[in-house]
Amino acid sequence: MENLREKEEIKAAGEMVTINIDGRDYRVPRGLSVLEAARTVNIEIPSLCYLKDINEIGACRVCVVEIEGARTLQASCVYPVREGLVVRTNTERVRRARKTAVTLLLSNHHRECTTCIRNLNCELQNVADSLGVRNIPFTGEMKDYGFFDHNPAIQRDYNKCIHCRRCQAICNKIQECYVYSPLYRGLNTVIAPAFQKDLAEVSCIMCGQCVLACPTASLTEKEHIAEVWRAIADPDKLVVVQTAPSIQVTIGELFGMPMGSFVAGKLVAALRRLGFDRVFATDVTADLTIMEEGSELMERLLHQPEKLPLLSSCCPGWVKYAEHFYPEFLPHLSSTKSPHAMCGALIKSWYARQHNIDPHRMVNVAIMPCTAKKYEAARPEMECDGLRNIDYVLTTRELARMIREVGLNFSELPDEPYDEPFDQYSGAGMIFGATGGVLEAAVRTAHKLITGREMSVPDFEEARGQSGLKYGTVKLGDHTITVAVAHGTGNARRALEAFQSGKRRFDYMEVMACPGGCVGGGGQPILSGRDLKYLSLAYRHNRADALYNIDRGMEIRRSHENPRIQQIYREFLGQPLSDVAKKYLHTSYVPRGRHPFLQPETAYRGFVETS
């Protein structure tokens, strides 16, 4: 992180240098690496281990270039530019070295490309193709390094790992969970949790950022497509599906549509054609989450100030992070379930009774941007009346695979509405998918609950933007509260430690485990290797902007104004924080210890620890 700060200071100084790349002079900012400088002038240098500002270690040697005056080839991702530097990126020596590096990786790689989940979106495959690798003259050992999937969310195939360490960098530098590190030596080296434990047995929060960072299929979500197809094919089952707010602006990317395309209507049409019996919007219960959490904030602010700050709880990755690393803050977490769990609970209780459906026949499927939602659905706390709130969680990527499997032309589908009663939602429910959106939505409703009046302007600009940690103040009647927004659990750590030390005070904080919020979730589309330059927060910002644009154009922008929310309280819940609401919409948390590999975690329904 010190190196990153130093680089940013150099860039901020604005000094430019002239370098020569492949016979042409270019003016580029001092402080860039050769790789970054080349990409700013549209010269592509292939790489595998490189992640801008996150993993710049020169390990894969695919990005090597010739530097005039240097005896050996240099890794361009770690070689800084300087005045008068002369670089050659496409000499025969460079091409031969890159091709050899990739060929050596492939010689020991389990090449199951046609059946691999990352086929056609694998960076190793793409680089090999672009370098013209057509045969592999070397014979690797093809060791069996193991396959681990004893958890509900993420599977690890060590046989497809290329030791790029991008998972380690994301987990250590951004999420600050420190799950991965190199184990053993030589050909036996693996990048793994301590003692090569499964992710269920260590302090992994299942956020899936390592899955997004992985260039191959060494880390992937645990698929539940086959189980969902079986449920759809069963005539005795009523299969209900719900979609998270952010899915509506991200799934289009997987079908060639521009980033941020709003495709809610096409999404509904696709799900109906896949065979789902009901299609609901999780945005509705996002509004419901705000009603419950906003009421909690009001209760603590007015009557229980000792329980402040209130910390949001809709992100299961963040909740698990708090359980592992900050159990002392668990009493401060809102007890509200996440929106998809609330929706699942209501479907199998209120909705089933309203339509005289046996809830035991119902299968709840949630389309989520998040691998941690798979983990959350398997938590023993997520059930009511002996029934699971959610039976299966599919990521955005899994749903796209199902759509392709049946041959639907997604971009040409008609726009169709969601099914009642989970069909109408507010702009506040929509912006849940962006960092700061939960807090902004909560402020809109808390103002009404506390003062009895609407905010004159519903937008709360201080909560918006891609800054990792933001603070602001909100006036709620006679009370002025300090609020905080953190995305990426490393930023949550900084906020909590500042609070503990007394350097910062805040009354309410929203935390999203994934950088950018749900739009950057671990289950969202993985950008191809050719789009590596977008692995910054820029693309998440584009997706978030799409949600805010939709919010601005909606007639209803506050959760408490949603007629469906009013109906649910009138017909079933009574009022926020009622006994019925607490039964179906609230939950509890479990301190897990900072070193769970010493206390193996086995509290997953349907999953058992194996030796």
Side-chain angles (χ1 to χ4, degrees), residues 279-532:
V279 184
F280 294 148
T282 315
D283 313 51
V284 179
T285 40
D287 281 333
L288 191 60
T289 299
I290 288 304
M291 293 300 297
E292 294 295 317
E293 195 165 297
S295 298
E296 273 189 292
L297 177 60
M298 180 181 70
E299 181 70 20
R300 297 191 190 195
L301 187 63
L302 300 181
H303 306 296
Q304 297 176 308
E306 72 280 0
K307 290 189 175 182
L308 293 173
L310 177 67
L311 307 178
S312 69
S313 61
C314 59
C315 173
W318 147 242
V319 168
K320 195 166 189 285
Y321 185 86
E323 289 178 325
H324 279 301
F325 297 101
Y326 291 94
E328 63 270 28
F329 277 95
L330 293 183
H332 293 272
L333 263 67
S334 166
S335 62
T336 57
K337 293 178 180 177
S338 67
H340 88 130
M342 283 190 179
C343 191
L346 291 177
I347 289 168
K348 290 188 178 180
S349 55
W350 172 64
Y351 180 82
R353 295 169 199 172
Q354 290 284 91
H355 294 80
N356 197 27
I357 301 170
D358 179 2
H360 294 87
R361 287 184 53 231
M362 304 181 85
V363 176
N364 273 343
V365 179
I367 312 299
M368 294 287 122
C370 179
T371 51
K373 295 289 186 185
K374 290 176 176 282
Y375 149 78
E376 181 188 31
R379 288 183 68 133
E381 298 92 347
M382 295 301 163
E383 66 174 44
C384 298
D385 301 327
L387 298 168
R388 302 300 300 162
N389 295 162
I390 299 295
D391 297 292
Y392 302 108
V393 171
L394 301 179
T395 63
T396 316
R397 299 187 294 268
E398 287 174 276
L399 177 58
R401 292 179 203 127
M402 293 182 71
I403 293 171
R404 290 196 194 97
E405 189 175 339
V406 300
L408 291 177
N409 187 347
F410 184 84
S411 62
E412 297 300 319
L413 288 172
D415 291 337
E416 296 181 2
Y418 285 99
D419 291 316
E420 297 182 4
F422 298 95
D423 57 337
Q424 291 179 266
Y425 48 88
S426 73
M430 171 61 70
I431 63 175
F432 248 64
T435 175
V438 174
L439 187 140
E440 181 171 344
V443 165
R444 293 179 188 181
T445 289
H447 190 279
K448 173 68 172 180
L449 293 175
I450 293 174
T451 69
R453 305 185 309 275
E454 302 291 2
M455 292 181 69
S456 56
V457 179
D459 297 341
F460 182 47
E461 297 291 345
E462 290 175 273
R464 300 185 180 185
Q466 296 297 305
S467 175
L469 183 57
K470 301 180 285 289
Y471 295 94
T473 57
V474 181
K475 188 169 178 57
L476 302 175
D478 296 331
H479 301 270
T480 298
I481 66 171
T482 301
V483 295
V485 175
H487 60 115
T489 45
N491 288 313
R493 179 192 295 273
R494 278 177 274 286
L496 295 178
E497 291 186 352
F499 185 91
Q500 286 178 319
S501 68
K503 293 179 180 178
R504 279 282 192 176
R505 309 301 295 179
F506 46 84
D507 303 294
Y508 180 43
M509 181 167 76
E510 176 211 306
V511 181
M512 291 290 179
C514 294
C518 297
V519 292
Q524 293 284 30
I526 296 176
L527 300 181
S528 73
R530 301 187 191 281
D531 292 325
L532 272 179

Side-chain angles (χ1 to χ4, degrees), residues 135-157:
N135 61 79
I136 303 181
F138 314 114
T139 302
E141 287 200 16
M142 287 293 183
K143 294 172 65 70
D144 185 353
Y145 297 93
F147 183 88
F148 292 77
D149 69 341
H150 307 308
N151 69 80
I154 297 172
Q155 57 192 29
R156 179 68 151 155
D157 186 350

Side-chain angles (χ1 to χ4, degrees), residues 525-545:
I526 296 176
L527 300 181
S528 73
R530 301 187 191 281
D531 292 325
L532 272 179
K533 58 186 176 182
Y534 294 117
L535 277 172
S536 64
L537 288 179
Y539 75 93
R540 307 173 197 228
H541 188 42
N542 293 340
R543 293 170 178 172
D545 284 348

Side-chain angles (χ1 to χ4, degrees), residues 151-322:
N151 69 80
I154 297 172
Q155 57 192 29
R156 179 68 151 155
D157 186 350
Y158 290 99
N159 297 314
K160 295 178 181 177
C161 178
I162 61 172
H163 301 162
C164 67
R165 303 198 186 188
R166 280 161 48 166
C167 58
Q168 179 186 359
I170 286 281
C171 194
N172 291 1
K173 295 181 181 179
I174 305 300
Q175 303 302 78
E176 297 189 15
C177 297
Y178 304 97
V179 169
Y180 299 105
S181 60
L183 303 182
Y184 318 122
R185 293 187 177 187
L187 283 175
N188 294 320
T189 300
V190 291
I191 312 301
F195 311 119
Q196 209 168 342
K197 292 280 190 177
D198 185 81
L199 295 175
E201 302 168 286
V202 296
S203 55
C204 173
I205 62 174
M206 307 291 170
C207 67
Q209 289 302 301
C210 57
V211 176
L212 289 182
C214 182
T216 67
S218 182
L219 281 160
T220 62
E221 69 271 28
K222 192 162 187 177
E223 270 198 337
H224 294 97
I225 293 175
E227 293 88 338
V228 172
W229 278 129
R230 280 196 293 271
I232 290 173
D234 189 339
D236 294 327
K237 300 294 185 185
L238 183 82
V239 186
V240 180
V241 65
Q242 57 169 299
T243 67
S246 63
I247 306 297
Q248 301 168 30
V249 297
T250 58
I251 193 168
E253 296 172 29
L254 294 168
F255 298 96
M257 302 177 74
M259 190 172 290
S261 296
F262 181 54
V263 294
K266 298 183 189 304
L267 176 60
V268 173
L271 290 165
R272 289 207 178 99
R273 284 154 180 74
L274 291 178
F276 289 100
D277 298 298
R278 304 286 189 278
V279 184
F280 294 148
T282 315
D283 313 51
V284 179
T285 40
D287 281 333
L288 191 60
T289 299
I290 288 304
M291 293 300 297
E292 294 295 317
E293 195 165 297
S295 298
E296 273 189 292
L297 177 60
M298 180 181 70
E299 181 70 20
R300 297 191 190 195
L301 187 63
L302 300 181
H303 306 296
Q304 297 176 308
E306 72 280 0
K307 290 189 175 182
L308 293 173
L310 177 67
L311 307 178
S312 69
S313 61
C314 59
C315 173
W318 147 242
V319 168
K320 195 166 189 285
Y321 185 86

Side-chain angles (χ1 to χ4, degrees), residues 22 117 360 560:
D22 297 330
I117 197 172
H360 294 87
H560 54 275

